[in-house]
Amino acid sequence: MSENLIACRGLSKAYGRKAALSGVDLEVGRGRIVGLLGPNGSGKTTLIKLMCGLLQPTTGQIEIGGLPVGTETKAMVSYLPDRMYFANWMRAVDLFDLFRDFYRDFDYEKAIAMCRSLGVEPHDRLKTMSKGTKEKVQLVLVMARKAQLYLLDEPIAGVDPAARDFILHTILTNYNEEGTVLISTHLISDIEKVLDEAIFLKTGKVMLHETVDHIRETQGKSVDALFREIFRAQTLEGGEF
Amino acid sequence: MLGKLLKYDIRAMWKQFSIIWPAALIIALINRFTLPFNQGSGNEVGVKSELLAVITITVFVGVMCAMFVVAMVFVLTRFYRGLLGDEGYLMHTLPVQTWQLVLSKLICAVIVTVLNVVVSFLAMFLMMPINWTALFDVIQWQRLLQGLMKQPDALLYLGEFFLLCGTALALMVTMVYLSMSIGHLFHRRRVLMSVVAFFALDIAGNLIISFINELGMLRFLNKMAEWGGHTGFWVGIVLLLIPAVLMFLATSYLLKHRLNLE
């Protein structure tokens, strides 16, 4: 078993002429909760999509569990995208059936129990559900797996503060503790308390990758405060005000 | 895994066609009673009956056209939305090989088209004024069976004909899939580029056929076909299968190595 769960070497991705990621070198171990932090357009979603195989790198390499992204790594990764990915005619239980068919680590009973606790009726058609309820279904699909790596792309964006706590609670009480959770967000204060490590992305480059404890000890401030300091500086440098 | 993928693709297909197929059959059956099949030339058909017949046949033609339009849209969208759109976020993160994703869509597209043709024939059959006594005449069926036994090749020819049609259909679908995959390589105007790719592939295909013709290959193949009827069918099947397989492989390659769901 590879020591690092995620390993990126010289990873770059460009959309046409626009670089989304530039020379990212990154190593993340197992059993960690990691925040992938950066403002909009910093490359968080691009990095996660590269780990899922939804995008192909322009240059560089990426490995999950010591393997290049492929069928084997997809079986290890549980991915929560930033959009709805299912057909509206389906019911939540249809999706649970699909996940049970394809992922050995999917726990069907746990998914049903999670639905009940989140107030979702699993036999309802998705088209009759509100946006928030659909997001809950998608969260259930992801967290009912005992995956090696959870890639959660903006799971708390666009919801009110009470719902954020609810979502974070669901993640923390259901993830596989031997696996790693990578959460991308720009809402740092909401997730700081649960993070072991923080990765700061700025214009497609890794600016900082440290444990949260180390940041607090060496910088003498919270991750949120450091983030605001760095990215406020970026705004001022950009001369937008 | 291919079987599991097919299960979900066929379920999506049934969801799409579970109303229109039975509707086509029911409307055909209604037409059986409203169309004036049994009216002699001397009989006058009532205005109301005539109007009803016009309405029911118009509805029937409308449903049949809708059925084929829906099938065409289904084939396109199951691939485009399912593998290159938002649903692709689910399908491409499943632990399955890319060629299995494409093959599942291809098989489903062929099944939909074949079932559409079967439903169309069945609907026309239901619409006709059938003499049920003659249809279930055992002696007639025995004669037909005896005739077929004397010509066992007939069934084989029929099978080869269906296989040829199926291969031609697979070629058309793989060409559409490859066009959409090529269009997806572009950063902008992907739909437009898919259409351009389709016409480019069509032109390239015609150029290759002209080139082969110049080499005298077609004359050679025609000669082969003259050796026996079966050979003709099999030559046709192989000739259609080669580009279909190449386009299938090219589509799978592009989706595996050049996928960019932005």
Side-chain angles (χ1 to χ4, degrees), chain B residues 20-34:
Chain B
I20 202 160
W21 282 338
L25 296 176
I26 290 166
I27 293 166
L29 205 59
I30 292 169
N31 271 280
R32 161 74 186 85
F33 298 104
T34 53

Side-chain angles (χ1 to χ4, degrees), chain A residues 31-35 172 175 179-183 194-198 212:
Chain A
R32 316 289 290 162
I33 299 180
V34 184
L172 292 174
Y175 82 101
T180 286
V181 182
L182 186 74
I183 307 174
V194 305
L195 296 181
D196 296 315
E197 294 176 24
V212 170

Side-chain angles (χ1 to χ4, degrees), chain B residues 165-218:
Chain B
C165 292
T167 318
L169 181 62
L171 173 61
M172 178 52 83
V173 175
T174 49
M175 193 167 145
V176 171
Y177 286 176
L178 181 58
S179 306
M180 286 193 270
S181 305
I182 292 171
H184 182 78
L185 294 175
F186 292 85
H187 190 52
R188 289 177 186 172
R189 297 189 181 94
R190 287 176 163 174
V191 175
L192 176 68
M193 295 320 287
S194 301
V195 175
V196 171
F198 182 81
F199 286 112
L201 283 173
D202 190 45
I203 292 166
N206 285 327
L207 286 175
I208 290 168
I209 290 169
S210 308
F211 180 69
I212 290 171
N213 199 17
E214 275 185 25
L215 290 176
M217 282 291 283
L218 281 185

Side-chain angles (χ1 to χ4, degrees), chain A:
Chain A
M1 190 182 281
S2 174
E3 194 181 325
N4 286 315
L5 188 57
I6 303 171
C8 304
R9 285 183 286 275
L11 191 66
S12 298
K13 175 66 189 174
Y15 298 112
R17 290 178 187 172
K18 190 173 180 287
L21 284 179
S22 308
V24 169
D25 292 305
L26 187 68
E27 288 180 346
V28 177
R30 294 171 189 274
R32 316 289 290 162
I33 299 180
V34 184
L36 185 60
L37 315 174
N40 295 328
S42 57
K44 303 186 297 291
T45 298
T46 298
L47 183 57
I48 286 181
K49 282 187 186 176
L50 285 164
M51 290 177 193
C52 294
L54 296 176
L55 291 174
Q56 309 305 315
T58 307
T59 57
Q61 290 175 323
I62 184 161
E63 287 181 353
I64 308 291
L67 298 165
V69 175
T71 313
E72 292 90 349
T73 66
K74 286 175 186 176
M76 293 181 212
V77 173
S78 191
Y79 168 52
L80 181 72
D82 58 350
R83 66 189 70 204
M84 296 298 143
Y85 59 32
F86 34 67
N88 264 336
W89 58 267
M90 293 181 110
R91 299 168 302 164
V93 282
D94 295 330
L95 286 163
F96 298 162
D97 282 337
L98 187 146
F99 267 55
R100 183 166 56 182
D101 272 350
F102 288 98
Y103 297 108
R104 285 182 190 171
D105 57 15
F106 184 75
D107 187 337
Y108 190 94
E109 279 70 34
K110 186 178 177 182
I112 297 289
M114 283 174 75
C115 273
R116 304 275 185 236
S117 69
L118 290 168
V120 177
E121 174 43 60
H123 291 276
D124 282 353
R125 294 214 179 274
L126 294 163
K127 67 179 170 192
T128 65
M129 293 179 183
S130 68
K131 186 171 172 277
T133 310
K134 284 181 193 170
E135 282 174 353
K136 284 180 187 172
V137 171
Q138 212 151 273
L139 186 67
V140 168
L141 285 167
V142 172
M143 299 315 299
R145 286 185 58 198
K146 198 177 177 185
Q148 300 281 316
L149 176 61
Y150 298 87
L151 296 173
L152 313 179
D153 194 1
E154 302 279 6
I156 55 170
V159 293
D160 60 77
R164 284 177 204 163
D165 288 343
F166 196 58
I167 290 168
L168 282 176
H169 175 77
T170 307
I171 293 167
L172 292 174
T173 50
N174 290 288
Y175 82 101
N176 168 23
E177 291 186 12
E178 291 161 17
T180 286
V181 182
L182 186 74
I183 307 174
S184 92
T185 187
H186 55 273
L187 303 166
I188 301 144
S189 59
D190 291 292
I191 66 157
E192 182 173 347
K193 57 185 180 290
V194 305
L195 296 181
D196 296 315
E197 294 176 24
I199 299 167
F200 279 20
L201 272 184
K202 185 178 176 183
T203 56
K205 291 179 179 152
V206 175
M207 282 199 66
L208 179 125
H209 179 198
E210 288 290 353
T211 63
V212 170
D213 290 343
H214 187 260
I215 290 172
R216 286 188 190 128
E217 280 168 22
T218 55
Q219 304 282 338
K221 59 186 79 162
S222 68
V223 177
D224 187 36
L226 181 64
F227 181 87
R228 284 169 194 271
E229 190 180 296
I230 290 173
F231 292 102
R232 187 185 300 127
Q234 181 199 15
T235 309
L236 292 172
E237 280 163 22
E240 288 179 21
F241 293 98

